[in-house]
Amino acid sequence: MSFSVHNRKTSKKPYPLEPLLLPQVPRSNYLHFQEEKQRLQLKKFLLNRMFLVARIEVNVERKEIVEYYEEVFHTISKQHLGEAVTGLLLIYPTSLLLILESSSGTLYRIISDYIGHKKNEIEYFIQEMKIVVISHNIPTRFFMQWHVSVIKVPVMYLDDVTQSQSLKEVITEFLTQTHKLSLHLCKTAKVGTKGPGNNLHQSVPDLLLSEQIIKYLCKSEELMDPATFINMYDRPIDVTLDSEVVWPAPSCF
């Protein structure tokens, strides 16, 4: 008895290959990173700090300067809700030092108001305002509220040190002294109080900035005035680069 064996050919159909899945790497940009950072810190806007110096008229009442800035802050706060302005205003006999902390939009409105007064009034009581430096996206505020201090007694110096210093050295000293003073007020000033008062020249004379430095910065042509800053701020960024210009210009045949 013989058995016949039939060889079955098993058909091996190729299984469909699964599509290759490339690793999905989350991509973001710097703007998203900053927005997420602000969200985690429960911030509604990026915080900026601006340092300003200006010359004031001798016969101007110091109360008039204080009322002017308080009125500006109150007007802007109606349109920029939740963007409070904190900082320090030091009023010297013939000049002032201004430190502002708020959003970029609020700071823009403050210096724009100054430009409007300069255009409409021939002799405005604030003159030769200069922007010393602007710090963007600072982590925290130095001041929890708005402080004003009138320096009634001028600080006397043996000689004018700005005559032998460069602009870089003067700005370095300016930032160093204002930083030390801001740290001192941040530690000592309590929320809800009127601030340091008008006796800083007696309590912390070594932390006060010399008025000679403020006058030097007001006359500096290298520092930017508010009008120049606003013009640069409003200038469009989609400018034509030299590399995009083809020369000679294409002509039609």
Side-chain angles (χ1 to χ4, degrees):
M1 177 180 282
S2 62
F3 297 92
S4 60
V5 179
H6 299 280
N7 295 329
R8 290 185 179 180
K9 294 183 178 180
T10 58
S11 59
K12 296 182 178 180
K13 296 181 179 180
Y15 294 99
L17 296 178
E18 296 182 358
L20 297 177
L21 298 177
L22 297 177
Q24 299 294 326
V25 180
R27 296 184 178 275
S28 183
N29 53 33
Y30 188 71
L31 176 61
H32 294 161
F33 171 77
Q34 293 294 339
E35 290 177 345
E36 181 65 17
K37 183 178 179 181
Q38 299 303 314
R39 187 186 66 81
L40 294 177
Q41 296 179 355
L42 300 178
K43 293 183 179 180
K44 296 181 180 180
F45 55 89
L46 297 179
L47 188 61
N48 303 304
R49 183 182 296 121
M50 178 182 292
F51 295 82
L52 300 164
V53 292
R55 182 180 60 84
I56 56 178
E57 301 296 335
V58 181
N59 57 351
V60 175
E61 293 290 336
R62 302 303 180 257
K63 182 180 179 182
E64 184 178 355
I65 302 176
V66 176
E67 291 178 350
Y68 161 71
Y69 278 107
E70 290 180 351
E71 182 180 356
V72 171
F73 297 161
H74 179 71
T75 303
I76 296 176
S77 64
K78 295 180 180 179
Q79 300 180 0
H80 297 259
L81 299 177
E83 301 181 12
V85 180
T86 59
L88 176 67
L89 173 60
L90 294 182
I91 304 178
Y92 288 81
T94 59
S95 61
L96 62 85
L97 166 63
L98 191 62
I99 305 177
L100 300 173
E101 297 175 336
S102 190
S103 66
S104 58
T106 300
L107 298 181
Y108 178 92
R109 291 288 304 276
I110 293 174
I111 59 179
S112 296
D113 186 86
Y114 165 77
I115 296 173
H117 283 284
K118 285 282 292 182
K119 291 181 179 179
N120 300 328
E121 302 179 22
I122 299 177
E123 295 183 359
Y124 190 50
F125 62 85
I126 301 178
Q127 299 288 334
E128 298 181 359
M129 179 174 284
K130 293 296 179 62
I131 300 175
V132 182
V133 67
I134 302 177
S135 302
H136 299 283
N137 192 20
I138 57 178
T140 184
R141 297 176 185 260
F142 269 144
F143 309 93
M144 293 297 103
Q145 61 188 45
W146 175 247
H147 299 296
V148 179
S149 181
V150 178
I151 311 300
K152 296 182 180 180
V153 180
V155 184
M156 303 302 296
Y157 294 89
L158 296 178
D159 55 352
D160 189 358
V161 294
T162 59
Q163 298 297 328
S164 59
Q165 291 180 330
S166 63
L167 177 61
K168 182 178 180 181
E169 293 173 337
V170 174
I171 292 180
T172 301
E173 184 175 354
F174 171 86
L175 295 177
T176 301
Q177 288 296 104
T178 52
H179 183 76
K180 291 180 180 179
L181 179 61
S182 300
L183 286 179
H184 170 76
L185 296 178
C186 180
K187 295 177 181 178
T188 57
K190 298 180 180 180
V191 179
T193 59
K194 294 183 179 181
N198 299 329
N199 61 343
L200 284 177
H201 59 279
Q202 297 177 350
S203 58
V204 286
D206 54 330
L207 299 181
L208 276 182
L209 194 69
S210 166
E211 189 176 15
Q212 297 170 350
I213 294 180
I214 299 179
K215 292 181 178 180
Y216 177 90
L217 296 176
C218 291
K219 296 179 180 179
S220 176
E221 297 181 355
E222 299 182 34
L223 295 179
M224 194 175 298
D225 60 277
T228 305
F229 173 79
I230 291 297
N231 292 334
M232 184 184 67
Y233 187 88
D234 294 336
R235 188 180 305 168
I237 60 176
D238 53 341
V239 295
T240 303
L241 303 177
D242 293 339
S243 59
E244 299 176 358
V245 179
V246 179
W247 186 261
S251 57
C252 300
F253 294 96

